[in-house]
Amino acid sequence: DTEVTQTPKHLVMGMTNKKSLKCEQHMGHRAMYWYKQKAKKPPELMFVYSYEKLSINESVPSRFSPECPNSSLLNLHLHALQPEDSALYLCASSRTRSDEQFFGPGTRLTVL
Amino acid sequence: QKEVEQNSGPLSVPEGAIASLNCTYSDRVSQSFFWYRQYSGKSPELIMSIYSNGDKEDGRFTAQLNKASQYVSLLIRDSQPSDSATYLCAVTDGGSQGNLIFGKGTKLSVKP
């Protein structure tokens, strides 16, 4: 298995909802990432997990909460989001922090 | 501020021609360099990685790296309409254990 999977593909939520994005990889990679990408912009790093420990929190608002239950799974919990949080949320993984990163298909999030 | 610069394009080439995409970076200690292809509405797909000076070829793609000039390029030979996409140059941040710094991307259009 050489891919990163993400669910759901699309998500529409209100500003008072709580939802979660899920990411999974079975490549044995020990680093996993969450990125946010707005239209016509490059991906912006949100969180990095290395060996299941959060290494960097890039000053992301607390309404985004990451979780890494095990080395294959990554979640992003969403709460009280704003319309400007609407974007493509990308998960990526790499063998280690310094190796090439492989992206999942993304979750298209719309906040109403 | 560490930066990766790309010409945003659009770069338009006829089918069968060579497309040349360029990227410069500011962080002299960057060690790893990547090219991602991103189709509209899709996630980035890794197409080339290069770590040492010189050329690296993979099928119709050739990546070129010149660390002294802080320059990395991607050549696409025999361009096809299916190559039409945005190409993202990404460089590891030498001071942050491998975080990627992305350029803004170059939009390539291959005309039949």
Side-chain angles (χ1 to χ4, degrees):
Chain A
D1 192 349
T2 59
E3 65 175 345
V4 178
T5 59
Q6 290 186 244
T7 55
K9 291 184 179 180
H10 301 275
L11 179 62
V12 179
M13 59 187 292
M15 290 190 285
T16 59
N17 292 157
K18 287 184 180 180
K19 297 287 185 182
S20 296
L21 309 184
K22 297 186 184 300
C23 173
E24 189 168 6
Q25 57 87 15
H26 294 289
M27 295 179 280
H29 288 177
R30 302 312 301 268
M32 296 185 76
Y33 312 79
W34 281 114
Y35 288 87
K36 172 184 177 180
Q37 188 177 26
K38 303 280 275 186
K40 301 188 186 300
K41 299 288 187 182
E44 300 173 34
L45 182 64
M46 299 177 72
F47 300 105
V48 181
Y49 274 89
S50 180
Y51 291 85
E52 300 151 60
K53 293 185 178 179
L54 183 62
S55 295
I56 294 177
N57 179 330
E58 294 285 329
S59 301
V60 175
S62 59
R63 56 186 183 267
F64 296 92
S65 176
E67 178 194 19
C68 188
N70 59 53
S71 61
S72 300
L73 294 173
L74 191 64
N75 298 320
L76 185 63
H77 303 297
L78 314 173
H79 174 54
L81 295 192
Q82 304 298 309
E84 60 264 29
D85 296 321
S86 298
L88 180 67
Y89 286 83
L90 295 161
C91 175
S93 73
S94 60
R95 191 172 61 89
T96 67
R97 285 286 301 277
S98 58
D99 290 304
E100 50 199 13
Q101 294 182 25
F102 297 91
F103 285 85
T107 294
R108 177 73 60 187
L109 174 67
T110 302
V111 182
L112 301 177
Chain B
Q1 181 77 8
K2 297 172 182 176
E3 294 183 331
V4 175
E5 300 281 348
Q6 293 182 256
N7 188 326
S8 61
L11 173 65
S12 184
V13 300
E15 184 174 357
I18 296 175
S20 178
L21 305 165
N22 304 314
C23 173
T24 59
Y25 59 95
S26 64
D27 187 358
R28 285 196 165 272
V29 299
S30 293
Q31 295 295 317
S32 305
F33 307 86
F34 308 99
W35 284 99
Y36 287 87
R37 177 176 63 197
Q38 188 170 26
Y39 294 112
S40 181
K42 302 295 185 182
S43 65
E45 175 191 7
L46 179 68
I47 54 171
M48 289 290 285
S49 55
I50 187 166
Y51 304 95
S52 56
N53 282 330
D55 295 359
K56 179 181 177 182
E57 186 174 321
D58 184 0
R60 295 187 296 112
F61 299 98
T62 299
Q64 300 173 318
L65 175 62
N66 184 325
K67 289 186 178 180
S69 301
Q70 295 174 241
Y71 174 89
V72 59
S73 66
L74 179 71
L75 300 178
I76 306 175
R77 291 181 299 282
D78 188 23
S79 295
Q80 301 296 309
S82 59
D83 294 326
S84 299
T86 295
Y87 289 80
L88 296 165
C89 174
V91 173
T92 51
D93 181 339
S96 67
Q97 302 179 63
N99 284 356
L100 290 182
I101 306 170
F102 283 91
K104 293 183 178 180
T106 297
K107 187 170 184 178
L108 173 66
S109 178
V110 181
K111 305 293 187 182

